[in-house]
Amino acid sequence: MPPHGRRRLSCLTITLALFFLFVSTASAVSAVLGIDLGTEYIKTALVKPGIPLEIVLTKDSKRKETAAVAFKPSKASKQDPDVFPERVYGGDALALSARFPGDVYPNLKPLLAQHFQSSDLVSVYKSRHPELQPLSSKERGTVGFKSSSFQQGDDLFLVEELLAMELKNIRANALAMAGKASTIRDVVITIPPFYTAEEKRAVVMAAELAGLRILSLISDGLAVGLNYATSRTFPTINEGGQPEVHLVYDMGAGSASATILRFQGRTVKDIGKFNKTVQEVQVLGTGWETSLGGDVLNQVIVDDMLEKFADSPGVKKLGAQMEQIKQHGRTMAKLWKESERLRQVLSANTETQASFEGLYHDDVNFRYKVTRAEFERLASKYTEKVKTPITMALESAKLSLSDLESVILHGGAVRTPFIQQELETIVGSSDKIRTNVNSDEAAVFGAAFKAASISPSFRVKEIRTGDTPGFASGAWWTADGKEKQQKLFTPTSIIGAEKQVTFKVLEDFTFTLYQQVFSQSGQKIEVPVTEVQTKNMTASVKKLEDTFGCAGADISTRFAIRLGPTDGLPEVVSGTVSCEATEKKGGVVDGMKDLFGFGSKKGEQKPLAEDAEGAESSSLTVNAETATSSPKESQTAEPVSAEQTPDEKRKEATKKTQTIYIDFTSEPAGLPQLSTETLQRIKDRLSAFDDSDRSRVRREETLNTLEAFAYKARDLLEDESFISASTASQRGEIEDKFKAASDWLYGEGAEATRQTLKERLDELRGLVNPVQKRKDEAVKRPEAVKSLQDALDQVKVMVDVVKQAQESYSIQLEMASSTSSSLADSASSASDSSTISASPETTSTSSAIVDDFADLDDDPLTSSTSSPDSTATLSTPLPPQPPPYTEADLTSLIFTRDEVQSWLDAKLAAQAKLSPSDDPAILASDLTAKSTELNQQVMKILQKQMKANRPPPPPPKKPGTGTKGGKKAAKKGTKNSVNIEDLLKDLSPQEREEIERAMKDAEGKTNGEDSSGKGAEKLKEKMMKKMEHEEL
């Protein structure tokens, strides 16, 4: 195999590539999604042909979906372990938190890839949602949940699996918006700048479980900056412009981050000789604070409510302690849900209040009131943390506050008044604080724009982005018994950058790529990301030594390592071992050139010997042995040995780099990966949940149909037409059955299965549908009968038309036969008269005439001579055109008409004997079918008539052939151009003699006998008269 990067593609590979290219082109209309994956809310934007950057609405027509999923238990799921509980999403899930606090899972994002035993975030989450049961998963040690409403097995629900359910719900909403014919798979998801490799992989796993393919992960700040750049043009640095530097401060529910961005324009080469200006957005530095966000501020309000609630008289009377209240799931769910509303109200008002009924105990009510001043006092300890992300970002970018042109605010929690005041204090001026982007949707619009720019299905404004990994990365390995380490990328390296790294190792080894992240205490630690194991390195080095004579000290081992364009993690692209080896100049190609005399340089090529024997004796003989190369080697083969002439120069020795590519495997390091069996089990459970949800939807549809049918029956029993189409006993039975069904629906039927509901519905329909059918038929029948009668009338008219056409044809045929007989007798008399008057002089003259007109074009369809029989033939009238209708058409029309008329008379007679409550003897659908049959027969006849009346195509024009003069006449196509033979053929004998004399005069003019050309003028005059006579 040729070396990597220069492989020749086989025909099969090319065919498959073209096939997949065609498939990708055919699916170019597929939509893409941008998802802003927040802690509290998930926002989604759709890009589809015809729908550019549109927010995906929830089922409640909201522009953002609450990041929560709940399992709603039912009696069936509790009784039958094979029945899955109902899944509820978004705001509907939070609404269940007071009833089922142990089955509502909100704000899962902070728990992604967190170790159950060592992460502080796990304990914080459990304190906020005490009714939930987080546990440690067996394979990975990360967080999983045990659901009390799920009876199948003891397997935990991993955070990634629950997040996959939320993403599936998002995808379903997008598909409903895009249309059934659309496919949605590609997506770009926003992540915080502090996400490590484990957290990024957790997001990717959740997306894949949801059936999504991640085109790219994009940091929150860059997504906002990309949306900021879509509607703006920045100074072009090629033309001396200065780039703009802005800071995006994003504070959501879970964290706060700062991203410094550089915006600039750049003129680059376009297609051909043209240039174009593109916009560039590049991340210069990032900073974050994971202990500052909306949830932390909500916790401040919850703690204050708990303290005041514990001091209330009702709680003291119960003797409940603070810890008991905190462990009460329903109480904490109500307080946590209300704290979010209170904080949002305080952003616009100076005070607010909340009331709770039956809090902690049915007899305990609680009223809470808070002012903005009190809230800011409670949250004062977080004021200093507002500055942390900005300071960290400036240090990373090596900039100062004076270098910033503005601070762009994004996120829901950034609207908090004291947060904005603190930012103004940090920046030094309120003029730099900008709210010129949508603080809720800028990130999701930026992610959707990024997805559209990556997808080949869309063409958008060219904006080049440069994201950063956020953490430094490097490599570990062991060589000669010593631990080696090398730094590769910095926190501000551009994602997609590639480096060539040299390892002084000559045998198979393992090395690890790592990230330098922050521990919970704030210390930098090195965490493994990827483990790389070489496969053929030892054998490749040996081949270099044995085949090419390379010394071990001269062999170089290199790996190309880059920051992956999708997730920004370090990855190995390729690896090689190489050395410089000495080889003879030239190869097989050069040897063949020398063989045929094309390889000599300036003046060295000699002419071949003149005699053939010398040429044959000096021919070269190619040896059978040729050099062979390794499939993964990049080298030049040895030249073919050949007999050399004494005058040929000796080949010079040269140095060339011999390269062999290394086979290697890469495995994710850090958290253990889920086994194939576990992944399949999760996918099967998600599919079973989907099937259960679809079955539940169908059951609800059946239940709704049954309820609607029960109400409809009440109206039908009061309808006069329904009463007339039914008997009293039938109405009494319907009334009893529907009353029983209505009572059953509000009792046992509320938890009945879909099959039971369907059986009840079919039973009721069996009673109502026959009566309803009689009622509908009574309404439709008169119109259908009228339509059929009209169709019969049309057939009768068409039968008369066909008969008249056939009779007319018969009469014309008889007249044509009589006329032909008369013409035949006249032609016989004319033939006898012409024979008697003919003489030898006339015959010789005719021959002369033909010779005189030899240079004129002949009509290929007309003979040069004429006979008396031809005159009779031309005078015979054409036979009449037969009609397009056949006798079979007439027979078919009459048969169909009579058959349908008989059927209609019999059915109408039978229907007249029935009462309105009897089943009809004739259906409207049967009448319509008969009408259609008759109309088809009529249309068949009309189509034949249309084809017969269609004018024939014009005959093709025939170009002039023959002499030069004839060609010119045909080309000009003038009005006076005539066919002489045609004219002579139709003349009488006396007229023909006159024309012949005129033609003789014209010939005399040509021989010089008539210089005035009077003969030609006479001929022209005679011919023009003949043409005028023909026109008349």
Side-chain angles (χ1 to χ4, degrees):
M1 179 182 292
H4 179 77
R6 287 180 285 174
R7 296 177 181 175
R8 297 183 61 185
L9 300 178
S10 65
C11 294
L12 177 61
T13 305
I14 296 174
T15 303
L16 290 175
L18 292 175
F19 170 75
F20 287 117
L21 178 62
F22 172 77
V23 172
S24 64
T25 304
S27 61
V29 294
S30 300
V32 294
L33 291 180
I35 297 179
D36 182 12
L37 185 61
T39 302
E40 186 177 8
Y41 294 101
I42 301 177
K43 294 173 279 291
T44 310
L46 172 70
V47 182
K48 178 196 171 186
I51 305 179
L53 292 178
E54 185 71 23
I55 288 292
V56 176
L57 302 179
T58 67
K59 294 179 180 178
D60 301 330
S61 299
K62 297 180 180 178
R63 296 180 69 85
K64 57 184 178 181
E65 184 78 277
T66 303
V69 59
F71 296 150
K72 184 180 178 181
S74 61
K75 292 182 180 179
S77 62
K78 291 180 179 180
Q79 296 172 359
D80 187 356
D82 295 329
V83 177
F84 287 76
E86 179 182 359
R87 291 183 297 182
V88 185
Y89 300 97
D92 295 339
L94 286 184
L96 297 174
S97 59
R99 294 175 55 196
F100 310 105
D103 281 311
V104 180
Y105 305 93
N107 300 16
L108 293 171
K109 180 181 174 182
L111 298 180
L112 285 172
Q114 296 297 316
H115 293 266
F116 179 80
Q117 300 293 342
S118 59
S119 177
D120 295 338
L121 295 174
V122 178
S123 58
V124 172
Y125 189 87
K126 184 171 177 58
S127 66
R128 294 173 180 172
H129 310 282
E131 198 74 16
L132 295 177
Q133 305 175 37
L135 299 171
S136 176
S137 62
K138 297 178 181 179
E139 291 188 28
R140 309 179 71 196
T142 55
V143 182
F145 290 93
K146 177 67 178 175
S147 173
S148 58
S149 62
F150 190 80
Q151 304 296 325
Q152 273 202 353
D154 298 328
D155 297 323
L156 301 179
F157 285 92
L158 298 180
V159 177
E160 293 82 356
E161 184 178 358
L162 296 173
L163 181 58
M165 295 181 185
E166 297 180 23
L167 293 177
K168 270 195 171 185
N169 177 59
I170 291 291
R171 181 169 178 258
N173 294 338
L175 283 171
M177 180 177 177
K180 295 182 179 180
S182 301
T183 57
I184 299 178
R185 189 184 176 195
D186 296 335
V187 63
V188 170
I189 299 180
T190 64
I191 58 172
F194 55 81
Y195 258 23
T196 63
E198 296 172 350
E199 292 164 316
K200 290 180 179 179
R201 287 170 178 164
V203 173
V204 173
M205 180 192 299
E208 291 177 349
L209 290 174
L212 297 172
R213 179 179 62 185
I214 292 186
L215 298 176
S216 175
L217 298 176
I218 184 172
S219 62
D220 293 324
L222 180 58
V224 175
L226 185 56
N227 176 250
Y228 181 80
T230 54
S231 59
R232 292 170 174 82
T233 301
F234 304 100
T236 304
I237 59 174
N238 306 66
E239 300 173 358
Q242 294 297 320
E244 298 180 11
V245 180
H246 301 267
L247 184 143
V248 176
Y249 194 89
D250 184 14
M251 185 174 175
S255 62
S257 64
T259 305
I260 298 178
L261 302 171
R262 181 174 64 200
F263 300 86
Q264 63 188 22
R266 183 188 298 273
T267 302
V268 297
K269 184 175 178 55
D270 199 3
I271 300 174
K273 299 181 179 179
F274 300 97
N275 295 331
K276 62 180 178 180
T277 300
V278 299
Q279 306 301 309
E280 295 180 344
V281 184
Q282 183 176 340
V283 177
L284 300 181
T286 56
W288 56 83
E289 178 55 70
T290 56
S291 61
L292 178 63
D295 284 352
V296 174
L297 300 180
N298 293 344
Q299 185 68 55
V300 170
I301 298 177
V302 171
D303 292 342
D304 188 52
M305 286 193 293
L306 283 172
E307 185 176 346
K308 292 181 179 180
F309 178 67
D311 293 337
S312 64
V315 176
K316 287 183 177 181
K317 184 178 179 180
L318 293 174
Q321 302 297 321
M322 178 69 76
E323 290 301 323
Q324 292 177 324
I325 299 174
K326 288 184 177 181
Q327 294 301 318
H328 195 265
R330 294 185 178 181
T331 299
M332 293 301 298
K334 291 180 179 180
L335 294 177
W336 187 260
K337 181 180 178 181
E338 193 65 18
S339 67
E340 172 73 14
R341 186 190 68 82
L342 292 174
R343 180 177 62 82
Q344 293 177 354
V345 172
L346 288 177
S347 297
N349 300 278
T350 56
E351 64 178 21
T352 186
Q353 61 183 8
S355 299
F356 302 91
E357 295 182 359
L359 188 64
Y360 186 73
H361 193 273
D362 293 341
D363 298 331
V364 177
N365 299 328
F366 176 60
R367 185 182 181 90
Y368 176 74
K369 183 177 181 180
V370 63
T371 63
R372 182 188 293 178
E374 291 176 356
F375 170 64
E376 292 179 354
R377 177 181 56 80
L378 295 172
S380 58
K381 60 181 179 180
Y382 297 104
T383 304
E384 291 297 324
K385 294 186 177 183
V386 175
K387 186 178 181 179
T388 303
I390 299 177
T391 304
M392 184 178 177
L394 291 172
E395 292 177 355
S396 177
K398 297 180 176 56
L399 297 174
S400 61
L401 285 171
S402 60
D403 297 322
L404 303 179
E405 296 196 17
S406 71
V407 176
I408 302 172
L409 302 183
H410 186 266
V414 81
R415 299 190 185 96
T416 308
F418 82 89
I419 298 293
Q420 292 192 2
Q421 293 173 5
E422 185 64 21
L423 288 173
E424 292 177 2
T425 303
I426 295 171
V427 176
S429 172
S430 61
D431 296 337
K432 281 191 173 183
I433 303 297
R434 303 281 178 85
T435 56
N436 48 4
V437 299
N438 188 327
S439 59
D440 279 332
E441 300 175 351
V444 68
F445 280 134
F449 186 90
K450 179 72 172 179
S453 64
I454 297 175
S455 173
S457 303
F458 304 95
R459 184 178 181 181
V460 297
K461 177 182 178 181
E462 187 170 359
I463 302 177
R464 300 180 179 180
T465 59
D467 209 344
T468 58
F471 299 103
S473 57
W476 301 321
W477 73 96
T478 302
D480 299 330
K482 298 180 180 180
E483 295 291 333
K484 304 287 184 178
Q485 183 175 358
Q486 182 173 346
K487 294 182 179 180
L488 300 176
F489 302 100
T490 66
T492 57
S493 297
I494 300 299
I495 289 179
E498 183 176 315
K499 285 188 175 181
Q500 296 289 334
V501 184
T502 301
F503 293 81
K504 293 189 177 298
V505 181
L506 298 180
E507 57 186 9
D508 286 315
F509 74 113
T510 301
F511 65 94
T512 303
L513 302 176
Y514 68 86
Q515 266 189 341
Q516 194 176 63
V517 302
F518 293 96
S519 64
Q520 295 184 12
S521 60
Q523 301 296 322
K524 289 184 178 182
I525 57 174
E526 294 172 351
V527 178
V529 175
T530 304
E531 188 171 295
V532 182
Q533 173 67 53
T534 63
K535 292 296 185 182
N536 64 333
M537 187 171 169
T538 303
S540 300
V541 170
K542 188 174 186 304
K543 178 169 287 189
L544 288 177
E545 293 175 343
D546 297 344
T547 305
F548 303 103
C550 297
D554 298 331
I555 297 177
S556 175
T557 303
R558 290 188 179 185
F559 285 89
I561 304 176
R562 69 174 180 179
L563 293 173
T566 301
D567 52 17
L569 300 179
E571 61 182 11
V572 178
V573 179
S574 63
T576 62
V577 289
S578 61
C579 71
E580 285 191 352
T582 303
E583 66 173 9
K584 290 184 179 180
K585 186 176 179 182
V588 175
V589 176
D590 295 329
M592 295 302 294
K593 287 182 179 180
D594 292 339
L595 173 64
F596 293 104
F598 299 112
S600 302
K601 293 185 177 180
K602 302 177 182 179
E604 296 180 6
Q605 185 171 347
K606 297 182 178 181
L608 297 175
E610 292 185 359
D611 62 26
E613 294 181 1
E616 291 179 2
S617 62
S618 62
S619 62
L620 301 178
T621 303
V622 181
N623 289 341
E625 296 182 358
T626 58
T628 60
S629 62
S630 173
K632 291 192 175 181
E633 295 175 14
S634 174
Q635 64 179 15
T636 304
E638 293 293 334
V640 181
S641 60
E643 297 180 7
Q644 299 179 348
T645 59
D647 296 334
E648 186 177 4
K649 286 189 175 183
R650 197 166 70 184
K651 301 291 183 182
E652 298 178 359
T654 59
K655 291 276 189 179
K656 183 172 182 179
T657 301
Q658 305 294 336
T659 303
I660 301 177
Y661 281 82
I662 301 174
D663 287 337
F664 61 89
T665 58
S666 296
E667 295 292 338
L671 278 178
Q673 298 300 300
L674 293 177
S675 63
T676 305
E677 293 78 9
T678 303
L679 277 175
Q680 189 60 45
R681 176 183 57 79
I682 293 175
K683 291 179 180 179
D684 293 342
R685 184 159 62 179
L686 288 174
S687 298
F689 259 112
D690 294 339
D691 295 339
S692 177
D693 289 343
R694 283 191 290 268
S695 177
R696 185 174 295 104
V697 170
R698 289 194 294 267
R699 178 195 174 276
E700 292 176 355
E701 291 175 352
T702 306
L703 177 61
N704 295 335
T705 304
L706 180 58
E707 291 178 344
F709 201 73
Y711 285 109
K712 180 182 178 181
R714 299 176 185 176
D715 299 333
L716 289 176
L717 292 174
E718 299 176 358
D719 186 16
E720 293 183 1
S721 59
F722 188 85
I723 293 174
S724 64
S726 60
T727 62
S729 60
Q730 290 174 340
R731 291 193 298 273
E733 184 181 4
I734 291 173
E735 185 176 4
D736 294 341
K737 289 288 185 181
F738 272 89
K739 185 178 179 181
S742 180
D743 296 339
W744 178 79
L745 280 175
Y746 294 102
E748 299 176 0
E751 298 295 334
T753 63
R754 178 175 178 268
Q755 183 62 30
T756 304
L757 293 172
K758 190 174 183 300
E759 290 174 358
R760 285 272 185 169
L761 181 60
D762 293 341
E763 180 184 4
L764 297 178
R765 281 176 172 172
L767 297 175
V768 174
N769 287 350
V771 181
Q772 185 68 32
K773 183 178 181 181
R774 291 194 292 269
K775 171 190 169 184
D776 295 339
E777 286 294 329
V779 175
K780 297 177 182 178
R781 191 182 305 116
E783 184 66 27
V785 170
K786 184 178 180 301
S787 298
L788 182 55
Q789 290 288 4
D790 293 341
L792 285 169
D793 294 340
Q794 292 178 2
V795 173
K796 292 177 183 178
V797 172
M798 186 56 63
V799 168
D800 294 339
V801 170
V802 174
K803 286 182 176 180
Q804 291 177 3
Q806 289 182 344
E807 292 175 358
S808 176
Y809 174 67
S810 299
I811 294 173
Q812 292 178 8
L813 194 61
E814 291 178 1
M815 293 176 62
S817 176
S818 175
T819 305
S820 298
S821 300
S822 301
L823 290 175
D825 295 339
S826 300
S828 176
S829 301
S831 176
D832 295 339
S833 175
S834 176
T835 305
I836 294 171
S837 61
S839 64
E841 295 179 357
T842 305
T843 305
S844 60
T845 306
S846 300
S847 302
I849 293 175
V850 172
D851 294 337
D852 291 336
F853 285 87
D855 59 342
L856 296 179
D857 290 337
D858 294 333
D859 188 349
L861 300 180
T862 306
S863 175
S864 60
T865 59
S866 165
S867 67
D869 293 339
S870 63
T871 304
T873 304
L874 290 172
S875 302
T876 303
L878 295 175
Q881 186 70 23
Y885 324 114
T886 63
E887 188 65 28
D889 294 334
L890 180 60
T891 304
S892 176
L893 273 177
I894 295 174
F895 177 79
T896 304
R897 178 198 64 186
D898 296 342
E899 183 185 31
V900 173
Q901 186 67 60
S902 300
W903 175 86
L904 178 61
D905 294 340
K907 290 292 184 181
L908 289 178
Q911 183 64 38
K913 299 177 182 180
L914 301 176
S915 66
S917 60
D918 293 331
D919 290 335
I922 181 172
L923 299 179
S925 59
D926 296 336
L927 293 169
T928 303
K930 293 295 184 181
S931 299
T932 303
E933 180 183 357
L934 293 175
N935 291 332
Q936 288 176 350
Q937 288 282 348
V938 173
M939 286 303 299
K940 181 180 178 182
I941 300 299
L942 291 177
Q943 287 176 356
K944 286 190 174 183
Q945 179 64 39
M946 293 171 63
K947 290 181 179 179
N949 294 337
R950 188 177 302 165
K957 295 182 179 180
K958 298 178 181 179
T961 56
T963 60
K964 184 176 180 181
K967 291 182 179 180
K968 289 184 178 180
K971 186 175 181 181
K972 291 180 180 179
T974 59
K975 182 177 180 181
N976 295 331
S977 60
V978 294
N979 192 323
I980 302 300
E981 295 298 327
D982 288 346
L983 291 176
L984 293 176
K985 179 178 61 179
D986 297 334
L987 295 179
S988 65
Q990 294 81 5
E991 291 175 329
R992 190 175 301 174
E993 279 186 37
E994 264 187 305
I995 296 300
E996 288 174 353
R997 283 195 295 269
M999 291 175 65
K1000 231 175 174 184
D1001 293 341
E1003 185 180 5
K1005 182 257 181 188
T1006 305
N1007 297 330
E1009 299 175 0
D1010 186 4
S1011 58
S1012 62
K1014 291 179 180 180
E1017 291 296 331
K1018 277 173 131 188
L1019 175 60
K1020 181 177 180 182
E1021 182 179 355
K1022 285 286 183 183
M1023 300 299 285
M1024 291 300 296
K1025 285 182 179 180
K1026 177 62 178 175
M1027 291 176 63
E1028 292 175 0
H1029 176 71
E1030 289 293 331
E1031 290 178 357
L1032 292 173

